[in-house]
Amino acid sequence: MRIRTLLFITSLLACHLNLWPQTLTKQFPPHEQETSRINASVTGDQAGGLAPGEASPKTSGYPVAELVPSPPSGVPVRFEYSRLEKHGDIYTLTGNVIIHYKNYTLRADKIVFNRKTSEAAAQGNVELAGGRDDELITADRGSVNLDRETGTFYDVVGTIGARSSGNKRKPVYTTANPFLFTGHEVVKEGPLQYRVIGGTITSCRLPHPDWRILASLVTVNQGKATARNAYFKLLGAPILYLPYVSHPVDTKSRQTGVLIPVIGTSSTKGTVLGESIYWVINRSTDVTVGSQYFSLRGWSPSAELRYRGRGEDFANFHFTALFDRGAPETHLNQGGQDVLFSGRRDFDPEGNTRLVATGEYLSSYVYREAFADSFSLAVASEVASSAYLTHNHDGYLESLRFDRYQNFQGISQMGNAYYTPQIRILHLPDLDLDVLDRSLDGTSAVWGFSGSFTGLSRSEPNFSSGYAGRFDLYPHLSVPLHLAGWNFRPEIGVRETFYTQSQTPTGGTRIVEHAVANRKDIEADFEVRPPALERDYSVPWLDRLLGGEMRHVVEPKVAYRYVGGIDNFSSIPRFDATDVVSDTNELDYSLTQRLFFHHLHPRSCTNQELPPPTSGVIHVPATYKECGGQSSEWINWTLAAKYFFDPNFGGAVTPFHRNVLDTTLDLTGVAFLGSARNYSPIISRLKVRTSEQTDIEWDADYDTKAGRLNADNIFADYRRGNLFGSFGYATLQALNPAFNANLASQVTKYNLLRLLGGVGNPAKRGLSAGASAGYDYTEDALQYGGLQASYNWDCCGFSIEYRRLALGSVRNENSYSFNFTLAGVGAAGNLKHSEQIF
């Protein structure tokens, strides 16, 4: 049990009974002739210094604050006490004594302090607090040299990573993983240096820790505690004998060491055993290297490097691999390597010149699908890498980019191997110059420019473009106008794009031609935004029912767009969105409705409503943790569509094929252009958020020509306290690359259901449980499912999870994972964060 000396309750009662109506203040200047200054409001006392051996006035326990002459170290000492006796350099203080010296505070019922040596002998409710890492020691008695930061204490409870709160049972912890120890005798040999004799160490809150290590001698030095012939106790029961054990102490730094082993089981991997080593290279960089052994498959090494530099600078590297002996049933090799990298380097404090990179190398899509930790990663077929160097100055942006894109088109088995066709597109390099809109002197017009030179390459089954060059220029001019709440923006521009090669479509294939291609067009836009229509609803029944008032806002928008002059659309090679610009003559119209709710009555803020911390300080509203009076958007609903005056887009549409153009991508990501048409599908985007606990979203694309929903996605999420749940339902009718006049052959249908629910969270004490599932209605099969349960004590917890993944012939896995976590130590098991349900 921690013992502290701040007699809070006694002081509170004394103040209430008016026993301490005045304060006596003594101050000794830092030179040998000592004088005292008595507060004029205190009657019955006389001003004057204390003669050697003279006691301070008996003031019935009046608290006294005093600055004593500086010791030889030159550091001033400040006392607080009720009674003082002085004999030369020896000060004997009694009654709720507090000594402030350097960054330490010493408290006790009685302290004898030697001014010359800075030594203090303390008795009764001793507490020493301070130091670089917030050391806090409570003891029955002890002696300490405040200048050397050494001492000896008896019957001790100590903490590294805590400060005194005035309540000896509830210190204020300054770190999530404090280091706590107890001992019959504790010898402090310097800052963060201790010898704990006959004691225990733990990271749990005392006096009843969930786990602790007992040893006859514990040595604390150089940021870690070590002991020999120790015993590990869990929930009061001895579990393990430890010939040697070490535990990190420095709560503000990391420690190199061997991590807790990984143990698990899986129907496709077999028994899983693993171990890793964590290496702190320096204050900015660390590395984790390890390997797992799958009894049914082979070795799986891994490595991770993390770097954090100044400002926004960082670098992350992650590597995983599997040297596979083959799947148990098919003996097919599903091994591979996956390497990820991300980083940033700023060359000036403002970040105007910076180098940014994010990349991934995946040797085999089969490896990802068979061994990825989560379902979402296992079915992710795209692999993208990008690196760019950019400079931004006064609206001019120059950049150099390198991009690599892969899209795996599925997995098929060919003999004793897997075949994974893929599309691969490279931008090596891409030189860009962009000029943000700038005013023309003396006019209301603004101009802008974008230009690029790109080296390109595309390969896919039965096609390879080789290496091609593209030069693209697009200057534009606009004149924003504002009139009586109406906003107009006419814009005109020209685009010229030059290619070092072209293509010739032949049936369903393309043939690369070495002849150059030059595409020219003129582009004109005219956007009109009428004034928003608003209406407020403020009626008594609405205030009584919801506690506020509502505002309904309607925002219409109309835009006309013309692109003309492209007569060689089919000859342009396809690499990215720049290459699918076509002639168009269209009208884009949309209507957005917003419903705002204005809270009229202040109320207590929830944790979600409080602003995030800024520099470690949480901002609290002026009305002391009260929210209300502000407005929030409850509903946002947008309906949009396009009318195409030219249904053939200047001859760019190929009948009975999936056509993707720049204008269709601008409206929706779901392809709908299978033939000439005047009307686009109607696009609906609805978001509802009536509280911090609820989120509802509904996205739909309705094709009026085909009479079907091309896409229909509903998502709902609810979180309140420890209760959480989410629901997702998605349907997609994807247009096939090629089809015939039969409507049934036009699309491929997808129909998926996602469910998640549970109660609790990883930090909740007691029991937490959750479940998740994904069902494919088209295949009538469960894609994945999982159950997780956790139980947390004060500073240790246990989690167990069952998970099933069914991904066709490549992966049909049942796995059992668990984690046993000790605060301040780590976790044993194989339940990874990416696999957890909550």
Side-chain angles (χ1 to χ4, degrees):
M1 178 182 297
R2 296 188 181 136
I3 300 175
R4 298 206 178 162
T5 64
L6 189 58
L7 304 179
F8 178 73
I9 298 176
T10 304
S11 302
L12 184 62
L13 290 174
C15 291
H16 180 70
L17 296 174
N18 202 25
L19 294 179
W20 293 351
Q22 298 94 8
T23 298
L24 177 64
T25 303
K26 289 183 179 289
Q27 182 172 357
F28 292 88
H31 41 74
E32 290 301 322
Q33 184 177 0
E34 300 170 351
T35 62
S36 64
R37 182 167 48 86
I38 310 300
N39 192 312
S41 65
V42 180
T43 60
D45 291 329
Q46 299 178 356
L50 292 177
E54 182 182 355
S56 64
K58 296 182 179 180
T59 55
S60 301
Y62 289 0
V64 179
E66 175 177 326
L67 185 66
V68 307
S70 300
S73 63
V75 179
V77 184
R78 188 166 64 90
F79 290 162
E80 295 179 29
Y81 57 88
S82 296
R83 183 178 178 84
L84 166 66
E85 292 184 4
K86 179 179 180 297
H87 298 273
D89 290 322
I90 307 299
Y91 294 78
T92 302
L93 306 99
T94 56
N96 197 24
V97 183
I98 304 176
I99 296 180
H100 302 276
Y101 185 79
K102 292 185 177 179
N103 57 349
Y104 281 97
T105 300
L106 178 64
R107 304 170 186 260
D109 295 339
K110 178 181 179 181
I111 298 178
V112 178
F113 178 73
N114 188 322
R115 185 183 67 86
K116 182 173 294 186
T117 63
S118 299
E119 293 181 350
Q123 293 183 356
N125 297 316
V126 178
E127 177 185 278
L128 178 66
R132 181 179 64 89
D133 284 82
D134 295 326
E135 303 169 64
L136 179 62
I137 295 176
T138 61
D140 285 348
R141 58 190 175 89
S143 60
V144 59
N145 188 305
L146 295 173
D147 193 38
R148 298 178 180 177
E149 300 185 40
T150 60
T152 303
F153 303 89
Y154 300 91
D155 296 327
V156 176
V157 174
T159 306
I160 297 176
R163 296 175 182 172
S164 176
S165 67
N167 185 339
K168 63 183 179 181
R169 294 182 179 271
K170 294 182 179 181
V172 177
Y173 292 100
T174 58
T175 175
N177 296 307
F179 174 78
L180 301 96
F181 57 90
T182 64
H184 298 304
E185 180 181 350
V186 172
V187 180
K188 180 175 173 58
E189 299 177 329
L192 282 180
Q193 296 181 28
Y194 296 93
R195 283 190 297 116
V196 182
I197 301 171
T200 68
I201 59 174
T202 184
S203 292
C204 302
R205 308 298 193 257
L206 298 174
H208 303 294
D210 291 340
W211 68 266
R212 56 181 177 165
I213 296 173
L214 294 78
S216 58
L217 177 63
V218 178
T219 302
V220 179
N221 194 10
Q222 296 182 351
K224 66 179 180 179
T226 59
R228 300 181 184 275
N229 300 320
Y231 291 89
F232 178 77
K233 276 191 173 184
L234 178 64
L235 300 178
I239 299 297
L240 189 63
Y241 168 73
L242 303 170
Y244 176 83
V245 63
S246 66
H247 186 283
V249 172
D250 190 349
T251 59
K252 298 180 181 179
S253 64
R254 299 152 295 157
Q255 302 291 327
T256 298
V258 179
L259 302 183
I260 297 177
V262 173
I263 304 173
T265 182
S266 163
S267 60
T268 59
K269 301 173 185 175
T271 301
V272 178
L273 300 173
E275 183 58 280
S276 299
I277 297 174
Y278 178 67
W279 177 28
V280 180
I281 299 176
N282 52 45
R283 60 179 298 181
S284 303
T285 313
D286 57 31
V287 174
T288 303
V289 179
S291 182
Q292 296 184 23
Y293 178 74
F294 305 154
S295 63
L296 296 180
R297 311 305 293 264
W299 289 96
S300 176
S302 62
E304 181 179 14
L305 181 145
R306 303 183 303 173
Y307 166 78
R308 291 293 179 274
R310 294 181 178 179
E312 300 293 330
D313 293 358
F314 76 95
N316 293 327
F317 171 85
H318 185 76
F319 164 80
T320 59
L322 174 65
F323 301 105
D324 191 21
R325 297 196 300 264
E329 300 83 5
T330 63
H331 302 290
L332 293 174
N333 186 350
Q334 296 179 335
Q337 302 85 40
D338 191 4
V339 181
L340 295 102
F341 174 82
S342 60
R344 171 171 172 162
R345 174 72 167 88
D346 289 349
F347 296 96
D348 59 75
E350 294 77 18
N352 293 326
T353 304
R354 62 185 183 272
L355 174 65
V356 180
T358 175
E360 180 177 11
Y361 168 75
L362 180 65
S363 66
S364 167
Y365 181 54
V366 176
Y367 168 64
R368 166 177 285 183
E369 186 169 305
F371 297 100
D373 293 335
S374 64
F375 171 80
S376 58
L377 180 60
V379 298
S381 61
E382 295 183 343
V383 178
S385 301
S386 178
Y388 65 87
L389 175 65
T390 183
H391 175 70
N392 176 15
H393 176 68
D394 194 26
Y396 294 90
L397 288 81
E398 307 93 19
S399 61
L400 171 65
R401 297 181 64 96
F402 296 87
D403 294 319
R404 182 178 185 269
Y405 171 82
Q406 286 177 278
N407 192 336
F408 293 93
Q409 302 296 292
I411 300 174
S412 58
Q413 184 176 337
M414 300 182 64
N416 294 325
Y418 288 104
Y419 173 64
T420 55
Q422 61 177 285
I423 298 173
R424 182 180 299 172
I425 300 174
L426 304 177
H427 291 65
L428 301 173
D430 186 347
L431 295 170
D432 295 320
L433 172 62
D434 294 288
V435 181
L436 302 183
D437 286 351
R438 308 176 69 85
S439 298
L440 282 176
D441 293 340
T443 69
S444 60
V446 295
W447 67 276
F449 173 84
S450 63
S452 66
F453 172 75
T454 312
L456 299 159
S457 174
R458 176 175 181 139
S459 62
E460 58 187 83
N462 303 318
F463 176 80
S464 177
S465 68
Y467 194 77
R470 182 182 68 196
F471 187 71
D472 181 68
L473 297 175
Y474 178 58
H476 52 274
L477 178 71
S478 63
V479 184
L481 302 173
H482 310 282
L483 179 63
W486 290 70
N487 295 297
F488 306 92
R489 186 181 177 89
E491 181 175 310
I492 189 170
V494 293
R495 181 186 296 271
E496 180 163 5
T497 310
F498 176 81
Y499 295 86
T500 60
Q501 67 175 223
S502 58
Q503 68 175 21
T504 301
T506 304
T509 62
R510 290 165 291 165
I511 298 176
V512 176
E513 301 287 350
H514 294 292
V516 300
N518 192 10
R519 184 188 68 190
K520 301 178 181 180
D521 69 58
I522 183 170
E523 303 181 10
D525 296 85
F526 189 80
E527 181 179 315
V528 180
R529 291 182 179 264
L533 305 178
E534 299 180 356
R535 181 175 179 180
D536 293 339
Y537 298 87
S538 179
V539 291
W541 68 265
L542 191 62
D543 187 9
R544 290 193 300 269
L545 181 64
L546 299 175
E549 57 188 11
M550 289 186 176
R551 170 174 291 180
H552 182 209
V553 180
V554 180
E555 300 175 354
K557 187 191 80 167
V558 179
Y560 172 77
R561 178 171 174 78
Y562 172 82
V563 178
I566 301 176
D567 56 3
N568 57 349
F569 179 82
S570 60
S571 300
I572 303 301
R574 305 290 190 265
F575 299 101
D576 53 39
T578 302
D579 308 315
V580 291
V581 176
S582 67
D583 282 359
T584 186
N585 187 5
E586 65 187 47
L587 186 67
D588 182 354
Y589 46 97
S590 67
L591 186 69
T592 300
Q593 300 190 68
R594 306 176 190 269
L595 187 63
F596 294 91
F597 183 80
H598 180 65
H599 300 271
L600 296 178
H601 307 290
R603 53 183 172 74
S604 298
C605 294
T606 64
N607 290 334
Q608 293 86 353
E609 291 174 319
L610 287 175
T614 301
S615 301
V617 178
I618 298 178
H619 170 72
V620 179
T623 53
Y624 188 63
K625 294 188 177 179
E626 287 186 348
C627 291
Q630 76 275 18
S631 298
S632 58
E633 187 179 62
W634 274 18
I635 300 176
N636 185 313
W637 187 19
T638 299
L639 293 173
K642 287 186 177 184
Y643 180 80
F644 305 112
F645 298 98
D646 178 6
N648 290 298
F649 299 90
V653 174
T654 302
F656 304 115
H657 283 77
R658 181 175 63 206
N659 296 273
V660 178
L661 306 178
D662 177 65
T663 181
T664 63
L665 286 174
D666 183 55
L667 180 66
T668 176
V670 180
F672 62 86
L673 199 60
S675 60
R677 62 186 297 164
N678 292 105
Y679 291 94
S680 75
I682 299 174
I683 309 303
S684 173
R685 301 292 184 262
L686 174 65
K687 296 181 180 181
V688 179
R689 184 178 176 85
T690 58
S691 70
E692 295 293 330
Q693 291 78 37
T694 58
D695 265 313
I696 300 174
E697 186 170 343
W698 175 43
D699 298 338
D701 293 8
Y702 181 72
D703 193 331
T704 56
K705 182 177 181 180
R708 65 173 179 246
L709 280 168
N710 289 343
D712 185 17
N713 305 314
I714 300 174
F715 172 79
D717 182 79
Y718 179 81
R719 297 180 183 272
R720 187 179 184 88
N722 289 317
L723 184 67
F724 64 92
S726 65
F727 166 86
Y729 181 77
T731 61
L732 173 65
Q733 300 194 70
L735 204 62
N736 292 323
F739 49 88
N740 53 41
N742 182 7
L743 290 178
S745 69
Q746 289 186 6
V747 296
T748 299
K749 298 181 179 181
Y750 302 90
N751 196 348
L752 305 174
L753 174 68
R754 302 286 184 260
L755 295 172
L756 171 68
V759 58
N761 60 73
K764 174 182 173 291
R765 291 194 63 176
L767 181 65
S768 299
S772 65
Y775 191 81
D776 187 336
Y777 281 98
T778 304
E779 299 294 333
D780 192 21
L782 181 72
Q783 289 185 321
Y784 70 89
L787 297 170
Q788 180 184 338
S790 300
Y791 191 92
N792 291 328
W793 290 266
D794 180 41
C795 68
C796 66
F798 181 77
S799 300
I800 187 170
E801 181 185 81
Y802 165 75
R803 189 171 59 137
R804 172 172 173 78
L805 289 173
L807 303 176
S809 60
V810 174
R811 188 171 188 177
N812 191 359
E813 179 184 17
N814 295 292
S815 63
Y816 299 89
S817 305
F818 78 94
N819 256 9
F820 181 71
T821 305
L822 295 176
V825 177
N830 64 328
L831 180 56
K832 300 179 181 179
H833 179 74
S834 58
E835 300 172 347
Q836 295 179 5
I837 295 176
F838 58 86

